[in-house]
Amino acid sequence: NARGAPHPTRPRPRAMRASSDDLDAHLLGAAASHAARGARRVCGGRLDGDVDGAPAVLVRLSWLLELLASGGRISARQQLPREAIFTGRITDDVLVIALSYCWCTKAHPDPEGLVLADLCVFLRYLDASRYWGDDHPTARDLNIHDREVVVFWDYMAFYQNLEPWPASGKKEDHGDSRTPEQYESFKRGLGSVNIFYAHAKTLVVLATEAHRPLKYNDSGWPFFEFSISLLPGKPTNGAIFLPEANRWIEEKCGLQLEKVPAMSEVAKANASYYFLLESNRRGERILPLTPEAFAPQVRQKTVTNGADTELLVVKYRETYEAVVRPTTRFELSNMASSATPAHWRSFLREVLPRCVDLVHVDLSYNEAIGGDLEDGESGEGCVGGASERGREGGSKACAPPLAPCA
């Protein structure tokens, strides 16, 4: 996977302060102060000022749908038309989607528009279902309503080194097609790319079906994005598994939403975003990996630039320290079957003890931790599968009464 631009070296990333760090300030290149802004505030300057010099840009949902309809393909940032780029403030009225996917080729991430087509199935549904099921308060709370939807897509977000790579075939011989200002923007953007995936306010779309022989989780960058997007700093509905979501959309609405005109209001309510999230909830969710566990795994993955492997190790550690250590809650009920007893043992022994501010753990409805943990690992004093502890200490991880998953 060739993130950003094929370039022989990449900068050491800036540490992410917290999962709710100021995304708008990052896009503008300003220093963010999490303590001053508060955990849920996303604000700052505007992107309609120095768009050219911003570390990253976001593209508009409507433009992506128009691009697909016209048979076009995505362009590098320096080739994007102005109308593609979002130029407002990142507020609660804006939903930022971060796309995690595999580049189809080294020269272009999506030359045939296959990734674009997959993504647009979800975007089209999201746009159409803004108010479906609003009579139900739970569905209403999750619907996007009038929020503007914008997308972080690495190839369009960062300036790319388009020439002469890969024509020369020798990385050490080629130059860089970007201007010094563009390259500086690229370095600043890439240095904080982890914010887009671990940020508490972004929705990560995990396009886990690769349109190439090398699989998604065999690739270094997608594995990194996947791992940090499922850390506990994000809400449980903060990541969508795109293949599963699109299959659900096809069944309920049709891939082109061709079923929607004939759908009643009740049928639309039953196809609301709430039910898509419910169908997608388990997916391939994983337990948080410690940096020590992540490092050997990512070193077995394939990356286009070998230097990226150690960069990913560093970036994961930075993200983990910013997101996992200070967390106060783990909501890990009804995890996917891929969370084995061995994974749970690692989590209870190595992750939980490091979370010094932890006050709540929900491990309910996980068959794998029923009777396979050693004495003392399942905790005690748990009510309804959730454990609580005071600030004075004594984390209690619990194995709840088990039940078949619904």
Side-chain angles (χ1 to χ4, degrees), residues 2 25 37 151 187 201 222 236 240 278 366 385:
R37 291 173 176 85
V151 178
K187 288 196 298 181
K201 291 260 190 163
T236 54
I240 289 286
E278 281 297 295
N366 286 295

Side-chain angles (χ1 to χ4, degrees), residues 151-228:
V151 178
F152 169 79
W153 188 325
D154 62 347
Y155 190 67
M156 293 183 281
F158 303 141
Y159 290 110
Q160 304 296 320
N161 185 16
L162 300 176
E163 295 176 354
W165 189 95
S168 71
K170 296 181 179 180
K171 286 190 174 183
E172 64 273 18
D173 292 340
H174 76 260
D176 199 297
S177 63
R178 293 166 290 200
T179 66
E181 293 78 16
Q182 290 175 344
Y183 185 61
E184 179 60 29
S185 167
F186 162 73
K187 288 196 298 181
R188 287 187 290 130
L190 191 66
S192 295
V193 67
N194 45 346
I195 290 177
F196 288 100
Y197 298 99
H199 197 290
K201 291 260 190 163
T202 62
L203 173 64
V204 179
V205 171
L206 300 164
T208 55
E209 288 186 357
H211 296 288
R212 66 179 193 188
L214 187 66
K215 295 181 180 180
Y216 177 91
N217 266 332
D218 291 333
S219 304
W221 276 96
F223 176 69
F224 166 78
E225 295 156 1
F226 176 88
S227 298
I228 64 172

Side-chain angles (χ1 to χ4, degrees), residues 289-297 299 313 316-317 320-321 325 350 354:
L289 297 172
T290 64
E292 294 78 13
F294 174 81
Q297 292 193 41
R299 289 184 179 120
V313 170
Y316 184 84
R317 180 176 293 276
Y320 183 93
E321 295 295 332
R325 279 187 182 274
E350 300 169 16
R354 299 186 186 187

Side-chain angles (χ1 to χ4, degrees), residues 250-268:
E250 181 177 18
E251 176 186 347
K252 299 293 184 181
C253 308
L255 290 178
Q256 302 294 325
L257 303 187
E258 63 272 12
K259 299 179 183 180
V260 171
M263 291 171 62
S264 66
E265 292 304 310
V266 172
K268 289 180 179 178

Side-chain angles (χ1 to χ4, degrees), residues 47-297:
L47 288 176
D48 52 2
D50 182 20
V51 173
D52 291 337
V57 296
L58 307 173
V59 293
R60 297 165 49 242
L61 173 150
S62 57
W63 183 82
L64 288 172
L65 294 178
E66 292 167 4
L67 180 67
L68 178 67
S70 68
R73 71 176 191 172
I74 64 169
S75 304
R77 174 174 169 180
Q78 54 264 54
Q79 298 171 334
L80 282 177
R82 284 284 176 168
E83 62 268 21
I85 300 172
F86 171 73
T87 57
R89 289 180 58 195
I90 309 298
T91 68
D92 285 339
D93 293 327
V94 177
L95 173 62
V96 177
I97 290 177
L99 176 64
S100 175
Y101 70 111
C102 291
W103 282 43
C104 296
T105 69
K106 293 180 180 179
H108 191 281
D110 191 26
E112 299 179 11
L114 301 177
V115 179
L116 177 63
D118 289 345
L119 177 63
C120 283
V121 170
F122 175 70
L123 294 181
R124 193 182 296 113
Y125 162 83
L126 198 63
D127 192 41
S129 65
R130 291 173 180 270
Y131 291 93
W132 291 2
D134 251 12
D135 289 342
H136 193 287
T138 303
R140 183 168 61 247
D141 289 344
L142 291 171
N143 280 342
I144 67 169
H145 298 130
D146 291 331
R147 298 173 74 187
E148 179 160 8
V149 180
V150 296
V151 178
F152 169 79
W153 188 325
D154 62 347
Y155 190 67
M156 293 183 281
F158 303 141
Y159 290 110
Q160 304 296 320
N161 185 16
L162 300 176
E163 295 176 354
W165 189 95
S168 71
K170 296 181 179 180
K171 286 190 174 183
E172 64 273 18
D173 292 340
H174 76 260
D176 199 297
S177 63
R178 293 166 290 200
T179 66
E181 293 78 16
Q182 290 175 344
Y183 185 61
E184 179 60 29
S185 167
F186 162 73
K187 288 196 298 181
R188 287 187 290 130
L190 191 66
S192 295
V193 67
N194 45 346
I195 290 177
F196 288 100
Y197 298 99
H199 197 290
K201 291 260 190 163
T202 62
L203 173 64
V204 179
V205 171
L206 300 164
T208 55
E209 288 186 357
H211 296 288
R212 66 179 193 188
L214 187 66
K215 295 181 180 180
Y216 177 91
N217 266 332
D218 291 333
S219 304
W221 276 96
F223 176 69
F224 166 78
E225 295 156 1
F226 176 88
S227 298
I228 64 172
S229 69
L230 297 175
L231 289 176
K234 292 185 74 67
T236 54
N237 58 3
I240 289 286
F241 293 87
L242 187 61
E244 290 83 353
N246 284 355
R247 284 191 282 271
W248 184 91
I249 292 168
E250 181 177 18
E251 176 186 347
K252 299 293 184 181
C253 308
L255 290 178
Q256 302 294 325
L257 303 187
E258 63 272 12
K259 299 179 183 180
V260 171
M263 291 171 62
S264 66
E265 292 304 310
V266 172
K268 289 180 179 178
N270 289 333
S272 69
Y273 188 47
Y274 166 81
F275 286 107
L276 183 148
L277 290 174
E278 281 297 295
S279 72
N280 201 264
R281 183 167 55 85
R282 295 187 83 197
E284 294 297 328
R285 288 170 61 205
I286 59 173
L287 293 168
L289 297 172
T290 64
E292 294 78 13
F294 174 81
Q297 292 193 41

Side-chain angles (χ1 to χ4, degrees), residues 325-331 352 355-362 386-397:
R325 279 187 182 274
T327 194
T328 60
R329 302 177 66 87
F330 277 109
E331 300 288 350
L352 283 186
C355 300
V356 296
D357 294 322
L358 192 64
V359 295
H360 173 89
V361 182
D362 184 356
S387 88
E388 304 287 343
R389 78 165 198 188
R391 294 277 176 174
E392 63 275 8
S395 174
K396 297 177 182 177

